[in-house]
Amino acid sequence: MTKFQDLGLKEEILKGIREMGYEDAFPIQEAVIPVLLTGRDVVGQAHTGSGKTAAFALAMLQEIQPKKGIQGLVMAPTRELAMQITGEIKKFGKYTGIRVATVYGGQGMGLQLDALDRGVEIVVATPGRLIDHLKRGSIELGDITHIVLDEADTMLDMGFVDDIQFILDLAPEERVMSLFSATMPTEILRLSEEYLKNPKQFLLDADDLSGEGIDQAFLVIKDRDKMKYLMDFIKPVKGQIIVFCSTKYRTRDVAKYLHQEKFDAVAIEGDMSQSRREQSMSKFRTGKVDILVATDVASRGIDVPRVELVVNYDVPNQELAYFHRIGRTARAGAKGRAITLVSYSSVGDWNLIKRQIKVNLTDLNKEMGIEISIPDPLKRQVPSRRYGGSQSRTGYSRSSRSGGYGRSGGYGGSSRGDARDDRSGGRKKYGDRGGKNSYGGRSRW
Ligand code: AMP
């Protein structure tokens, strides 16, 4: 284990680190900090939870000088993550005299302009709002020496690629840059080839996708029975819980129901105002409430160290979302549990995800003796001639389209019982900027 003082960090920074209670550097910090300090670019495959924030923040704080203009720029996909990064940098940098501002869409310009006017050395930004500031001249990139792209794959998914390129093209050529991403699709590699100079690559949590350290289980049940089982699962839990739903409507319904049942729950979903989302997040983070019900908006980048259980109330729409969701538990080496409730119509999607899970997965149907009674699609198919053209009896039409339970990826296919939140469902493609929103900095999630 490497101690932070062995990394050559300044005493002011070490003091901040000590105050945060960190003792040893995490592997990502041990690996990345010395490289960034030599001025070499870094590409790190790492997810939140690995300690990457400290890795890039400490290297930046070591080099940046107070009162010499904006020298550090961190880009992050969501306002929540941006605020979290700012919070960490402020704590590490408490004794350095370095000031940090967060700029993100959804908050009035006034507060951000005031903060910028007072003078800052580091800006943490979501790309859309940063462009607004660049265009009005409230932020200039001429003195930038350090750039970080955090959660680069999420930024691509959210359609920020053009914005990022626009921003990077404005920054000085001479700079140290790091890019962190949970996955490394070709688009990220292309971006890193174009904008990073001979970066040192780190595959820091290659086993992230295995969900190591997380007890994972699933239960196949009727959609209407989910609430009952959810309550059974959450009742005995002492620590904090996140319940993920696929749509904002379900998020609201589940939170409301839990409230009625006297659980301390808050929701966070895309339709809520920025301040209400922040309120929910802060109640959860500070432990005032035990349960957070959320769409995928909260699954990435948000660090709540004590989450004991993640319940996927709905099967996520793709494997990565699954691993991001369950990754909210078992943080920083702690143990965690994840339970996925699979409605009959989502069995096909679940089978696709299941194939990617490389650790023991508990089948709760077997363990709890709960039978799966998916109607046989062949039996329920009603001959159309005899019944005047009807293809199937009411309620069966969706599942009868696509085969039966157990056929890998077959049942249900991409059709699902649950309506999707347009903004959280479906992976956006590289280059899809989501229209004007990318510049407007308005909420996409
Ligand atoms: P991150 O991946 O940056 O979101 O960090 C994940 C969690 O690990 C956060 O709660 C950090 O505060 C914590 N953390 C990061 N580095 C260390 C360290 N060296 N020692 C203890 N905790 C740390």
Side-chain angles (χ1 to χ4, degrees):
M1 281 286 180
T2 304
K3 298 272 175 212
F4 283 102
Q5 54 267 36
D6 301 333
L7 297 174
L9 297 167
K10 293 181 201 166
E11 183 46 37
E12 305 92 281
I13 299 177
L14 293 173
K15 202 168 163 196
I17 297 174
R18 276 198 295 276
E19 228 167 70
M20 287 181 79
Y22 293 6
E23 286 175 6
D24 299 311
F26 280 179
I28 188 170
Q29 294 151 4
E30 194 181 324
V32 164
I33 293 172
V35 177
L36 288 175
L37 290 182
T38 63
R40 184 162 173 197
D41 290 353
V42 161
V43 172
Q45 180 163 7
H47 71 301
T48 309
S50 55
K52 66 185 159 63
T53 315
F56 64 72
L58 295 174
M60 215 181 230
L61 286 166
Q62 174 82 1
E63 309 264 289
I64 285 175
Q65 307 293 322
K67 302 205 170 110
K68 296 228 166 120
I70 301 173
Q71 300 148 69
L73 171 65
V74 182
M75 277 185 265
T78 62
R79 59 194 89 178
E80 282 85 1
L81 181 58
M83 285 162 60
Q84 187 175 299
I85 294 169
T86 300
E88 296 246 319
I89 301 180
K90 279 186 175 163
K91 285 188 216 155
F92 295 129
K94 187 170 166 191
Y95 300 102
T96 60
I98 288 168
R99 295 155 302 171
V100 194
T102 329
V103 309
Y104 53 88
Q107 188 191 43
M109 273 283 189
L111 278 177
Q112 296 175 7
L113 291 173
D114 288 348
L116 293 166
D117 276 349
R118 285 194 294 272
V120 295
E121 287 76 33
I122 297 176
V123 168
V124 184
T126 54
R129 179 54 69 96
L130 176 58
I131 288 183
D132 294 342
H133 280 281
L134 291 171
K135 287 185 170 170
R136 61 155 66 205
S138 39
I139 292 180
E140 286 182 3
L141 302 183
D143 295 325
I144 292 285
T145 52
H146 288 75
I147 300 180
V148 179
L149 298 187
D150 197 13
E151 306 234 339
D153 52 349
T154 313
M155 291 203 276
L156 288 185
D157 282 353
M158 289 173 73
F160 279 137
V161 69
D162 293 348
D163 293 1
I164 291 171
Q165 289 181 322
F166 176 89
I167 295 162
L168 293 178
D169 287 338
L170 290 177
E173 293 242 338
E174 278 308 310
R175 74 230 171 178
V176 185
M177 189 165 156
S178 49
L179 179 155
F180 295 92
S181 194
T183 57
M184 286 291 162
T186 14
E187 295 91 329
I188 298 281
L189 298 174
R190 217 179 289 150
L191 195 74
S192 85
E193 249 169 46
E194 194 175 346
Y195 289 98
L196 283 84
K197 282 189 224 95
N198 181 29
K200 188 157 170 69
Q201 303 199 3
F202 295 97
L203 205 62
L204 288 147
D205 49 7
D207 60 358
D208 178 29
L209 286 192
S210 71
E212 283 297 336
I214 305 170
D215 286 335
Q216 298 171 57
F218 69 99
L219 176 67
V220 181
I221 39 170
K222 287 186 187 127
D223 198 63
R224 65 169 179 268
D225 292 337
K226 283 182 173 178
M227 189 54 81
K228 166 179 161 319
Y229 284 103
L230 173 67
M231 311 258 276
D232 289 350
F233 290 129
I234 64 181
K235 263 180 205 152
V237 176
K238 300 247 182 321
Q240 289 194 295
I241 300 167
I242 302 183
V243 181
F244 283 111
C245 299
S246 57
T247 70
K248 50 199 173 197
Y249 309 104
R250 282 174 69 96
T251 303
R252 282 201 287 267
D253 283 352
V254 171
K256 199 165 137 199
Y257 193 86
L258 290 175
H259 256 297
Q260 283 166 6
E261 296 295 315
K262 309 279 179 259
F263 287 97
D264 263 345
V266 284
I268 181 165
E269 40 85 4
D271 266 2
M272 287 164 66
S273 70
Q274 171 64 13
S275 67
R276 285 193 49 224
R277 282 164 53 166
E278 272 165 33
Q279 266 172 18
S280 291
M281 207 59 219
S282 121
K283 278 187 189 159
F284 186 63
R285 212 194 292 271
T286 54
K288 286 201 185 99
V289 298
D290 301 325
I291 305 172
L292 174 71
V293 188
T295 51
D296 283 300
V297 71
S299 75
R300 293 196 179 203
I302 299 305
D303 180 37
V304 187
R306 285 158 301 160
V307 172
E308 188 176 319
L309 172 69
V310 166
V311 179
N312 290 317
Y313 192 79
D314 298 309
V315 172
N317 60 336
Q318 42 131 335
E319 304 100 79
L320 276 182
Y322 174 79
F323 290 105
H324 277 294
R325 285 179 178 190
I326 69 164
R328 299 311 91 198
T329 180
R331 320 273 293 156
K335 262 267 166 212
R337 279 195 307 142
I339 299 173
T340 301
L341 302 181
V342 185
S343 63
Y344 291 170
S345 63
S346 299
V347 169
D349 292 333
W350 174 240
N351 284 339
L352 290 175
I353 293 171
K354 224 162 77 174
R355 279 197 245 150
Q356 306 296 324
I357 301 172
K358 308 283 188 261
V359 295
N360 252 354
L361 184 63
T362 307
D363 180 341
L364 292 174
N365 291 83
K366 276 195 194 138
E367 199 159 275
M368 297 164 71
I370 299 164
E371 272 188 36
I372 303 171
S373 54
I374 298 181
D376 182 340
L378 293 176
K379 278 193 195 143
R380 67 179 183 252
Q381 192 77 27
V382 180
S384 53
R385 260 171 293 143
R386 210 184 312 160
Y387 286 88
S390 164
Q391 287 301 308
S392 60
R393 285 191 195 125
T394 317
Y396 290 152
S397 54
R398 193 185 307 120
S399 45
S400 65
R401 259 192 266 146
S402 41
Y405 171 64
R407 277 167 50 169
S408 72
Y411 191 90
S414 59
S415 80
R416 355 177 18 112
D418 319 317
R420 299 231 150 262
D421 180 338
D422 286 340
R423 285 174 289 185
S424 60
R427 229 177 139 80
K428 275 203 190 152
K429 292 276 183 300
Y430 180 74
D432 175 0
R433 301 179 51 248
K436 280 185 76 176
N437 274 358
S438 299
Y439 279 90
R442 263 169 270 134
S443 161
R444 293 164 181 77
W445 301 82

